[in-house]
Amino acid sequence: VIMVVRVRFAPSPTGLLHLGGARTALFNFLFARASRGSCVLRVEDTDRERNVPDAVEKIERSLRWLGVEFDEGPSQGGKFGPYLQSERLQLYQYFAKQLVQVGLYSEFQV
């Protein structure tokens, strides 16, 4: 069995990138590169009230300055999108219904 490394960084677009987020993104990126894997940016934008316009672009720009280049994400796409969490709701609902139908999960609000 060949294991493929796939890591992600999932910031909330509620402001500028902070030091802890930069460290996490950098470590994930370096681990992915050392393992010949991929590094994914998936934005946790579900807190609509706190989202800041242009925050995703500013976070991406800051990470590029650090040398972090994502293989997949909202700017470049990829085969496992969408990369904005708010756009994944239908996908999650579909799989939740599947789990309910096969009896692996009890329905509460699917």
Side-chain angles (χ1 to χ4, degrees), residues 5-55:
V5 170
R6 199 172 146 75
V7 298
R8 71 172 171 87
F9 177 59
S12 296
T14 55
L16 298 174
L17 180 67
H18 58 80
L19 185 58
R23 179 195 63 84
T24 300
L26 184 59
F27 284 4
N28 282 354
F29 171 75
L30 293 172
F31 177 70
R33 291 300 177 263
S35 305
R36 294 189 175 99
S38 59
C39 189
V40 178
L41 176 65
R42 190 182 71 215
V43 179
E44 300 289 339
D45 65 337
T46 54
D47 188 352
R48 296 285 190 194
E49 294 177 12
R50 295 182 53 222
N51 288 350
V52 174
D54 299 329

Side-chain angles (χ1 to χ4, degrees), residues 40-102:
V40 178
L41 176 65
R42 190 182 71 215
V43 179
E44 300 289 339
D45 65 337
T46 54
D47 188 352
R48 296 285 190 194
E49 294 177 12
R50 295 182 53 222
N51 288 350
V52 174
D54 299 329
V56 174
E57 292 81 10
K58 290 177 181 177
I59 290 170
E60 286 181 305
R61 189 174 339 124
S62 297
L63 291 168
R64 277 193 304 275
W65 182 83
L66 287 171
V68 175
E69 295 287 341
F70 293 99
D71 300 301
E72 301 173 39
S75 295
Q76 65 272 50
K79 62 181 182 177
F80 297 105
Y83 296 96
L84 297 176
Q85 191 71 353
S86 61
E87 295 176 0
R88 299 179 70 84
L89 182 59
Q90 287 182 331
L91 180 67
Y92 296 144
Q93 288 174 335
Y94 170 79
F95 284 106
K97 287 178 184 176
Q98 298 297 314
L99 291 172
V100 170
Q101 287 176 355
V102 298

